[in-house]
Amino acid sequence: MTGARTDIEAVEAANTALYDAIEQGDLDALTERWLTDDISVVHPGWPVINGRDEVLRSYALIMANTEYIQFFLTDVEVSVLGDTALVTCTENILSGGPSEADGSTGPLVGGLVVATNVFRRAEDGDWRVWSHHGSPVLIDRDDEDDADASDDDTASADDGVADGSDDTIG
């Protein structure tokens, strides 16, 4: 196994461990996944959060207010350059609120977030998160394809917005 392949697999494992910690509501495990200095996070719809204490506090808040969450990661791409790695993926999220009065699971809601996770190799050789940025997906790919097909007469590739709307993603 080559060094590059080993790094990619290690980054994939670190990325999986990040999401596992969130799913399990394990703040200690989540804390171990992050670097100890100059980190940042952008949760969907939130402003940028900088600094270890503030980033971990944001996750504690999310965990305390989320009864259930599960991530199904798709479109995962990993790139490693030296001691830095970039992971892009789609977070297919299933989450739920508080349990019903009878103790049954509360209503579940699904959502899509595109995420960029930047990792750095720590002094101990483990890959840790340096930055996470999540952005909600506001349109369906099928809708985008339909809009592209219907706008062929009026939009050119140079327009920058294929469907003529002001919605931007990314």
Side-chain angles (χ1 to χ4, degrees), residues 3-68:
R5 187 76 218 140
T6 302
D7 283 344
I8 288 172
E9 290 170 356
V11 171
E12 287 172 343
N15 195 62
T16 299
L18 172 70
Y19 288 98
D20 287 349
I22 298 167
E23 285 182 355
Q24 295 166 11
D26 188 341
L27 190 58
D28 291 334
L30 182 73
T31 299
E32 290 177 24
R33 300 308 332 140
W34 286 84
L35 288 170
T36 58
D37 56 349
D38 297 329
I39 61 174
S40 67
V41 68
V42 177
H43 300 295
W46 293 32
V48 66
I49 300 170
N50 290 303
R52 186 172 171 81
D53 290 343
E54 293 301 315
V55 166
L56 295 175
R57 186 174 295 120
S58 75
Y59 278 103
L61 218 132
I62 291 168
M63 290 175 179
N65 290 291
T66 305
E67 186 77 19
Y68 173 84

Side-chain angles (χ1 to χ4, degrees), residues 63-122:
M63 290 175 179
N65 290 291
T66 305
E67 186 77 19
Y68 173 84
I69 192 163
Q70 188 172 10
F71 296 90
F72 301 94
L73 302 181
T74 57
D75 309 316
V76 179
E77 298 286 334
V78 179
S79 177
V80 177
L81 183 59
D83 290 334
T84 304
L86 178 70
V87 178
T88 57
C89 62
T90 301
E91 300 172 350
N92 300 268
I93 304 170
L94 185 61
S95 64
S99 299
E100 300 292 334
D102 65 0
S104 63
T105 303
L108 297 175
V109 177
L112 288 177
V113 171
V114 291
T116 301
N117 297 320
V118 181
F119 289 82
R120 276 193 356 219
R121 192 185 327 260

Side-chain angles (χ1 to χ4, degrees), residues 125-167:
D126 286 344
W127 290 95
R128 294 209 172 76
V129 185
W130 187 7
S131 182
H132 166 82
H133 185 130
S135 181
V137 175
L138 303 176
I139 62 173
D140 290 332
R141 287 184 177 149
D142 292 339
D143 293 344
E144 187 179 68
D145 292 342
D146 293 343
D148 288 347
S150 67
D151 287 347
D152 281 344
D153 321 327
T154 59
S156 72
D158 295 331
D159 286 343
V161 179
D163 66 1
S165 72
D166 291 329
D167 292 338

